[in-house]
Amino acid sequence: MDEIVKAALKKWPNVPHCHGWLALDARGDWYMRDDRVQAAGPFPQVKGSRILHDKLREFIHRNYASDEAGCWFFQNGPQRVYVELEAAPWVWRLSAQDGQLEVHSHTGREARVDTAWLDENGRLFLATDIGLGIVHTLDMELAAQQVEAGHWQPSPVRFDELPGRFGYRLSPQAGPEASR
């Protein structure tokens, strides 16, 4: 977490949390969801405005974390902005470097794969040392090579079982029964 964010938390400890205004899709893109967008429908059916500003995305990435209830948020100074998730808290990007596969999150964090999961829609999820994420659609060829080589053996799973199994919530403003 940025030092300026830590200082703001100390200076203003009681700022109310924000819900519904920020979302992460299955391709690792961030979306702002103002009142008009929220009124038009839930995420991901109605996404909102994609965040394109590089410095803002980098700031979100550095200050992205989860709470004890499995809700993911962006700590924006003293305000915790909870994140609506389309699929999982992480979106994995794969790359091959010197014959070795590297797995990085949409925020740039390196991860080590523990298990692989395939949902009813054919989407590949990886459980790693930093949590569960979905493999980016552009990286499925590298993922398929890992499966074909026997490095990953995806187990079948229903998508609606993943949040409870891996301890996260798709929608932090919903009660635990809605997404856990």
Side-chain angles (χ1 to χ4, degrees), residues 97-177:
Q97 302 292 330
D98 300 322
Q100 296 291 330
L101 182 78
E102 293 184 3
V103 178
H104 289 89
S105 73
H106 64 285
T107 66
R109 287 188 60 186
E110 189 172 347
R112 180 185 41 77
V113 176
D114 295 324
T115 58
W117 302 86
L118 194 64
D119 79 359
E120 66 274 15
N121 297 310
R123 298 181 299 178
L124 183 64
F125 292 81
L126 302 176
T128 73
D129 58 326
I130 64 170
L132 184 82
I134 188 169
V135 174
H136 194 287
T137 55
L138 293 177
D139 296 332
M140 286 304 294
E141 183 176 351
L142 282 174
Q145 291 170 6
Q146 293 298 302
V147 171
E148 289 171 356
H151 300 299
W152 297 344
Q153 299 171 352
S155 297
V157 66
R158 284 192 0 238
F159 175 69
D160 63 358
E161 294 175 358
L162 289 170
R165 183 175 289 200
F166 291 97
Y168 66 93
R169 290 190 183 173
L170 294 172
S171 181
Q173 58 190 350
E177 65 284 349

Side-chain angles (χ1 to χ4, degrees), residues 43-89:
F43 184 79
Q45 289 79 17
V46 181
K47 288 193 172 183
S49 301
R50 188 168 159 227
I51 298 174
L52 300 174
H53 191 277
D54 288 337
K55 295 295 182 190
L56 177 55
R57 286 195 323 239
E58 290 168 9
F59 183 59
I60 293 170
H61 292 170
R62 290 191 310 271
N63 297 286
Y64 180 60
S66 66
D67 66 15
E68 62 283 344
C71 297
W72 285 80
F73 62 89
F74 154 54
Q75 191 68 48
N76 183 24
Q79 185 171 55
R80 185 170 285 188
V81 180
Y82 281 98
V83 178
E84 298 287 320
L85 303 172
E86 180 175 355

